[in-house]
Amino acid sequence: MISPAELERLRRKVEAGDVLSGAELDALRAEAARSPGPTLRLTVAHALVNADAEREALPWMQSLRRDFPKDLQVRLGLARALLGLERHREAEVELRDALVLSPGDPEALKVLAVLALRQGEGARARAYVAEAVERDPFDAEAKLLRAELEAADLPPPPAPEEQVLRPEFTAALTAALGRAGVGFRRQGRDLLVKLSSGGVGRVDVGSLYAAYRESPGAHGLTAHVEALAARLGGLSSGVSLDALRPVLRPAGFVAGAQGALLRPGPAGLEVFYVLEDAEFVRYLPASALGEVGLTPEAVDAAAWHHLEARPADVRPVVIDQGEVRLAEAFSGVWAVMGGDGHDGARLLTKAQRRRLDDATGGGPLRVSLGRREMALLCRDSDSDSVRRLASLGHAPDGVPGLYVLDGDTLRVA
């Protein structure tokens, strides 16, 4: 327990926007855990925002809003964290709620004015500032904002960003393949594509859609899928051991990947093999082995050898409203994020387990493979984090349920 004078010093430091040291933040957290009201918890959250750790601050703010829904400062603090994450619409909702709790609150009005200004809504921004100045004619910040608005040449509102859903993407891609004369057939969530060398390749549409969402380009969906169709039409059936990687899939996935090479994996999962190139991820067909004189054992050994040489970073994350976001500090939940779809299998490699031990301190880990783009985990003894993992569920193409990774053994939780 720290002295009242030291606690007051830390509070003033946070109010001034200064960044606390690690020891100061830990001391403030400990005091907040002993305090029944919102004040110290809110101070901890603001200290995290001061340190540019908005993603870690957000769960604190959301918990405070749940426990103290009529506290004005809690609403303003939550809006601050959301603004730091550039979640402007959600921040605006919180600020409007703050005005319901305290009509004409100058702080809420000023931030709403800045948001309106960013959206090119000059009239609305001026109205907010005028009300703030009317409420407090001596508010220097509001008067300065009013002067800036009067002199500003406001830009037009930004054009809405195109939102393309996966069904729309898939329909556009198949239409482009048809126009390009590329033979294909839908099978589950994948595409079977006639290769230029005469064979058939299986392409994971989910990986193509994820790549489009990450980098849609400047020319729109049609141009993107036209270029994609042209590249798909030029694929060959050659098998390169250097391109082989293992992936974990749930039992029964073979029904959606007929003809692909697989073997039983741990915890009732199945190991499939993918062929990577610069653009696509394809499942290795069992029929391709005879053409090049490979055995399933050779494929398995090569795939795991290459994955062993490529451990991924282990990053702290927070789970926020069903989404996973990077955290700037310890959160109790980590993600293995190789960005290549192989992170579930990567957990079974020695190199990756060494990184996990370094990040988590060792011991059994609870694991979620519900998202192909990352593997999520927490200490098996951390009941709160285990509940957060369980509440996240799984994506349609992910593995349901939770697992325990204990040393080199993966088992169902």
Side-chain angles (χ1 to χ4, degrees), residues 184-271:
F184 70 92
R185 179 164 63 88
R186 293 285 302 277
Q187 189 177 84
R189 295 180 177 273
D190 298 334
L191 281 178
L192 299 180
V193 180
K194 184 73 172 178
L195 304 178
S196 60
S197 56
V200 175
R202 181 180 298 276
V203 178
D204 184 349
V205 177
S207 66
L208 300 183
Y209 177 62
Y212 170 75
R213 288 290 302 273
E214 183 177 341
S215 181
H219 303 295
L221 175 62
T222 300
H224 183 91
V225 295
E226 293 286 355
L228 205 53
R231 294 197 294 274
L232 282 169
L235 290 177
S236 75
S237 57
V239 177
S240 168
L241 286 177
D242 290 339
L244 286 169
R245 304 289 184 274
V247 294
L248 297 181
R249 296 290 181 259
F253 179 77
V254 65
Q258 295 174 9
L261 181 67
L262 77 152
R263 70 163 175 83
L269 301 173
E270 292 171 334
V271 178

